[in-house]
Amino acid sequence: MSSPEQWTHPEPDAAPAATAAKPTAEQVIAGLRATDEGGADLVQLLTPEGERVTHPDFDIDITAEELRGLYRDMVLIRRVDREANALQRKGQLGIWVPLLGQEAAQIGAGRAMRQTDMAFPSYREHGIAWTRGINPTDLLGIFRGTDMGSWDPVEKRFHPYTIVIGNQVLNAAGYAMGQKFDGKVGDDEGEATMCFFGDGATSQGDVHEGFVWAAVYDAPLVFFCQNNQWAISEPTERQSRLPLYQRARGYGFPGIRVDGNDVLATLAVTKWALDECRHGNGPILIEAFTYRMDAHTTSDDPSRYRLSDELEMWKLKDPIERVKVYLVRQQWADSEFFDSIEAEADALGEELREFCTNMPDPPAERIFSNVYAEGNPNLEAQRDEFLDYVSGFAGGEH
Amino acid sequence: MAAPTMDRSTAAAPATPVQTLTISKALNLGLRAAMEANPKVIMMGEDIGKLGGVFRITDGLQKDFGEQRVLDTPLAESGIIGTAVGLAIRGYRPVCEIQFDGFIFPGFDQIVSQVAKLHYRTQGRIKMPIVIRVPFGGGIGAVEHHSESPESYFAHTAGLKVVSCSNPSDAYWMIQQAIDCDDPVLFFEPKRRYYEKGEVDTTAKPGPLFESRVLRSGTDATLVAYGPMVRTSLDAANAAAEDGTSLEVIDLRSLSPLDLEPVFESVRRTGRLVVVSEAPSESSIASEIAAKVQQECFYSLQAPVLRVTGFDTPYPPSKLEEEFLPDLDRVLHAVDRSLAW
Ligand SMILES: Cc1ncc(C[n+]2csc(CCOP(=O)(O)OP(=O)(O)O)c2C)c(N)n1
């Protein structure tokens, strides 16, 4: 394992709550809550104030053009998110799952992947979808109720959204085992898989089993946990007494906590982790320490369970603002650039609205299509009977 | 890691096409034939490698095909099924062994949430050619969770196919056909019948997988069964014949989709139907058959459709399983009730 010793064997007393005397459970939990700065092990390359800092093990050479690209990605996907949120408010979408605040975690991780890598998302990974070349309009059908994701998961190497918490982690582990069985692991040309899940998901048995499987089969799998501090109304400390990245040690692979609001750090750490995997040194757990700025979904009311102070504090860590400040300081971008990105975002928002409001409902046959690969005569009879019934109405209207 | 190689075994091809085999050996040879035919077929499960599975169904496969094609997995059913999903997406055809019927439930979530639905959700872009083998049913004197009949849960779920073999020839062929199928197949093996023998012709492939079959023709009443209850029903028909009653016996073989045409055809002639299954009866495959038969054969029925099943209770302690499981007498009693209508 080429990882520094500290990640392979994180010191158990590295947690800020630990003191010489054994802490009580309450102290440990209180200490965890106090890790809103991310704790001492947090990998960061760009501070909330937009200052570039170095890290002894993770640094990254980033050109002005690359950083402008990351900035553009984040602004555009935030616009997609805000437009979709508004479309839900206007009744055009049944529900939306906001990504606000998690742009850096997703763009950093997504841009670290290669085309040949495979991604298994949960349901909030709109930024990852963006980096896989999926048109944001393809996400809308899921939330409008016209389809279950219209992209081709094989071609895009982006699995369908998974709603049952944790299921995709095992599916990803199996896929990564397949990459290994196929001999696609072992050198710089190797393939890797990344799966995405939240802090709440880490309580699920499937995630535990995914850790076990990936570890014992040395699967080229990067577990990417976006710890956005909340699982609907349940805070992280309701899922774990230990910082999540430290759990990896118990399974025998490295765990790293990265500032998930820092696109540079996320990119650097994820690139490293994917690289380890493609060379056969996986799996690896990354905990992206971030914050969900909006509601869990448009049906949620966060004012019932969290303090506005917390939100205000995290606003100061905005993932996009810090890049903007840095770009300006470096004189890597001027107002003309920022205006052009804004114009692009406006156009994208317009396209999304237009597309959404004009989306046709699927034909009734969709209910019955593709249940089986090889057909089922009883189901076909049921379909025929139903379609016959429907076509009996005047003009086939129903 | 090298790509999987095809590992030809000398023990593979049976010497003569027609052999007398147990169901367990027939399954073993069927799995072996499938692995030889397609290098993407892999076995996954607890203890299936060195040990050959607790019932030895995978005996010798790991030795001949290697650890990458016969995976001794960690002990976690959701893990077995959930990783099979990923492997299937990657182009593999996983055959998962669930050690005992009562332990499929930790994997239930992955089966009904992912395995059953991915083809539908992706509009056919992802196929799930996964076989999940489940030794099921009672009659072996086991402790709890080792004798259950959970097949109705899966037959109830769209996207899954569910079959059960009842004799060595079917065991040999149906397992290969299930592995060939591009849909996920729950493959229920009648564990109390594993060591019953029968002839297997390894050259004469029988008809399609998802079809029921008339095993014995008769004129007075029809018996429908699957898996372990097929033997019981045939025995009942033999006993009834001695008393001059002619029973037709149909082996369902496929529980989802159900192939009921032969049943309808039979009931239209006999006018009477008794469904035999050791699963609890409420909301079960037996219920489904009763509903469909009354719908299709209403004017032919001389008596209501009767069900002889396990009770609507948890599987009892094994000292009581003889009372719980339908036996020849309970089947004949139901036939008598039907005939007396
Ligand atoms: C198995 C399961 N249980 C419950 C739910 C309902 N649910 C949807 S999202 C969610 C919280 C998930 O939190 P987390 O894993 O932290 O992800 P986040 O939404 O914060 O990204 C819950 C309980 C579900 N989708 N699946």
Side-chain angles (χ1 to χ4, degrees), chain A residues 278-352:
Chain A
R278 68 180 92 258
H279 283 95
N281 300 326
I284 288 166
L285 168 66
I286 297 174
E287 177 191 353
F289 201 77
T290 181
Y291 195 75
R292 158 171 56 82
M293 295 297 288
D294 203 343
H296 170 71
T297 68
T298 44
S299 310
D300 174 43
D301 174 9
S303 71
R304 294 177 75 114
Y305 56 82
R306 67 184 189 188
L307 298 171
S308 54
D309 276 3
E310 187 176 291
L311 191 69
E312 292 309 312
M313 194 270 292
W314 277 94
K315 268 189 192 159
L316 302 173
K317 300 171 190 262
D318 187 84
I320 298 184
E321 282 308 308
R322 67 177 79 178
V323 176
K324 188 169 187 178
V325 169
Y326 183 63
L327 282 172
V328 171
R329 271 213 194 109
Q330 292 291 103
Q331 301 190 329
W332 282 358
D334 53 16
S335 59
E336 203 179 315
F337 167 77
F338 294 116
D339 289 348
S340 76
I341 300 292
E342 217 39 49
E344 209 181 336
D346 289 344
L348 185 58
E350 177 64 33
E351 183 193 333
L352 217 64

Side-chain angles (χ1 to χ4, degrees), chain B residues 286-317:
Chain B
S287 317
E288 178 64 19
I289 294 170
K292 288 239 169 81
V293 166
Q294 69 81 23
Q295 196 174 309
E296 292 299 318
C297 310
F298 189 69
Y299 291 107
S300 309
L301 283 168
Q302 307 289 317
V305 177
L306 298 179
R307 288 175 288 170
V308 183
T309 66
F311 303 115
D312 295 318
T313 68
Y315 197 86

Side-chain angles (χ1 to χ4, degrees), chain A residues 61-77:
Chain A
D61 274 334
I62 192 101
T63 65
E65 195 188 340
E66 283 165 342
L67 194 61
R68 283 194 298 264
L70 295 172
Y71 176 84
R72 171 178 174 271
D73 285 337
M74 290 196 290
V75 170
L76 294 189
I77 201 61

Side-chain angles (χ1 to χ4, degrees), chain A residues 123-124 163-165 198-201 204 228 230-232 292 296:
Chain A
Y123 45 72
R124 202 189 294 284
I163 309 285
V164 184
I165 301 290
D199 47 307
Q204 282 282 346
N228 64 9
W230 293 93
I232 310 187
R292 158 171 56 82
H296 170 71

Side-chain angles (χ1 to χ4, degrees), chain B residues 155-309:
Chain B
H156 190 66
T157 298
L160 302 175
K161 290 178 173 171
V162 185
V163 303
S164 182
C165 58
S166 72
N167 60 69
S169 175
D170 271 357
Y172 179 78
W173 285 109
M174 284 172 71
I175 190 65
Q176 294 181 64
Q177 291 171 318
I179 293 169
D180 270 346
C181 179
D182 275 344
D183 285 310
V185 179
L186 274 288
F187 194 93
F188 283 94
E189 300 170 4
K191 70 165 93 79
R192 68 194 281 201
R193 310 290 184 204
Y194 268 151
Y195 305 108
E196 293 185 4
K197 288 184 176 173
E199 281 197 347
V200 179
D201 184 341
T202 54
T203 54
K205 186 172 172 172
L209 176 59
F210 301 106
E211 279 188 12
S212 52
R213 191 176 300 151
V214 178
L215 293 187
R216 177 191 175 111
S217 40
T219 50
D220 295 331
T222 305
L223 297 182
V224 165
Y226 58 91
M229 284 296 116
V230 172
R231 172 88 268 142
T232 308
S233 300
L234 284 170
D235 290 348
N238 279 338
E242 285 171 21
D243 293 340
T245 304
S246 165
L247 298 181
E248 183 140 312
V249 179
I250 299 178
D251 181 357
L252 275 179
R253 299 172 79 250
S254 176
L255 313 184
S256 177
L258 276 170
D259 173 29
L260 292 183
E261 246 348 289
V263 179
F264 300 152
E265 197 273 322
S266 173
V267 171
R268 284 184 194 117
R269 279 189 290 103
T270 64
R272 294 180 163 84
L273 178 66
V274 175
V275 189
V276 188
S277 155
E278 57 181 83
S281 64
E282 248 181 43
S283 309
S284 64
I285 285 162
S287 317
E288 178 64 19
I289 294 170
K292 288 239 169 81
V293 166
Q294 69 81 23
Q295 196 174 309
E296 292 299 318
C297 310
F298 189 69
Y299 291 107
S300 309
L301 283 168
Q302 307 289 317
V305 177
L306 298 179
R307 288 175 288 170
V308 183
T309 66

Side-chain angles (χ1 to χ4, degrees), chain A residues 200-394:
Chain A
T202 62
S203 298
Q204 282 282 346
D206 275 14
V207 175
H208 161 71
E209 291 176 36
F211 287 175
V212 171
W213 247 262
V216 301
Y217 291 104
D218 303 321
L221 179 56
V222 176
F223 297 101
F224 194 90
C225 174
Q226 289 172 82
N227 178 359
N228 64 9
Q229 314 302 324
W230 293 93
I232 310 187
S233 70
E234 310 269 18
T236 308
E237 68 258 29
R238 183 44 62 97
Q239 318 293 341
S240 179
R241 287 174 61 164
L242 193 70
L244 295 172
Y245 75 101
Q246 289 183 10
R247 284 192 175 177
R249 187 185 178 194
Y251 296 90
F253 51 82
I256 300 156
R257 177 181 271 185
V258 64
D259 181 347
N261 284 20
D262 174 353
V263 74
L264 284 188
T266 309
L267 180 69
V269 168
T270 310
K271 259 195 173 154
W272 170 81
L274 284 165
D275 235 48
E276 284 292 291
C277 285
R278 68 180 92 258
H279 283 95
N281 300 326
I284 288 166
L285 168 66
I286 297 174
E287 177 191 353
F289 201 77
T290 181
Y291 195 75
R292 158 171 56 82
M293 295 297 288
D294 203 343
H296 170 71
T297 68
T298 44
S299 310
D300 174 43
D301 174 9
S303 71
R304 294 177 75 114
Y305 56 82
R306 67 184 189 188
L307 298 171
S308 54
D309 276 3
E310 187 176 291
L311 191 69
E312 292 309 312
M313 194 270 292
W314 277 94
K315 268 189 192 159
L316 302 173
K317 300 171 190 262
D318 187 84
I320 298 184
E321 282 308 308
R322 67 177 79 178
V323 176
K324 188 169 187 178
V325 169
Y326 183 63
L327 282 172
V328 171
R329 271 213 194 109
Q330 292 291 103
Q331 301 190 329
W332 282 358
D334 53 16
S335 59
E336 203 179 315
F337 167 77
F338 294 116
D339 289 348
S340 76
I341 300 292
E342 217 39 49
E344 209 181 336
D346 289 344
L348 185 58
E350 177 64 33
E351 183 193 333
L352 217 64
R353 282 195 297 276
E354 174 87 16
F355 183 90
C356 188
T357 39
N358 292 321
M359 262 169 106
D361 288 348
E365 287 95 321
R366 174 66 185 104
I367 297 174
F368 300 94
S369 61
N370 292 304
V371 179
Y372 296 94
E374 297 185 357
N376 175 328
N378 299 344
L379 182 65
E380 280 145 28
Q382 195 174 62
R383 175 197 60 204
D384 293 347
E385 195 183 332
F386 174 73
L387 294 179
D388 196 42
Y389 164 77
V390 167
S391 71
F393 292 95

Side-chain angles (χ1 to χ4, degrees), chain A residues 116 118 120 146-154 157 159-168 170-186 191 204 206 209 212-213 216-217 366-378, chain B residues 1-4 40 42 44 68 71-87 89-90 92-93 106 109-110 113-114 116 118-127 157-161 180-183 210 256-260 292:
Chain A
T116 46
M118 179 72 188
F120 284 80
T146 62
D147 60 52
M148 291 147 157
S150 52
W151 63 91
D152 183 336
V154 180
R157 298 207 175 217
H159 193 69
Y161 274 8
T162 301
I163 309 285
V164 184
I165 301 290
N167 275 181
Q168 77 280 10
L170 275 168
N171 304 161
Y175 189 91
M177 284 163 66
Q179 289 175 316
K180 189 169 173 196
F181 293 173
D182 289 346
K184 301 286 189 191
V185 174
E191 290 182 20
Q204 282 282 346
D206 275 14
E209 291 176 36
V212 171
W213 247 262
V216 301
Y217 291 104
R366 174 66 185 104
I367 297 174
F368 300 94
S369 61
N370 292 304
V371 179
Y372 296 94
E374 297 185 357
N376 175 328
N378 299 344
Chain B
M1 176 75 49
K40 289 295 184 186
I42 56 174
M44 310 170 65
Q68 201 167 283
L71 280 70
D72 265 324
T73 66
L75 206 172
E77 287 70 19
S78 196
I80 295 170
I81 311 291
T83 53
V85 169
L87 283 158
I89 296 169
R90 187 74 200 174
Y92 288 83
R93 301 183 87 85
D109 171 19
Q110 284 284 347
S113 305
Q114 304 305 330
L118 267 167
H119 191 262
Y120 189 72
R121 273 159 57 200
T122 62
Q123 307 219 36
R125 290 179 179 118
I126 291 181
K127 291 198 177 81
T157 298
L160 302 175
K161 290 178 173 171
D180 270 346
C181 179
D182 275 344
D183 285 310
F210 301 106
S256 177
L258 276 170
D259 173 29
L260 292 183
K292 288 239 169 81

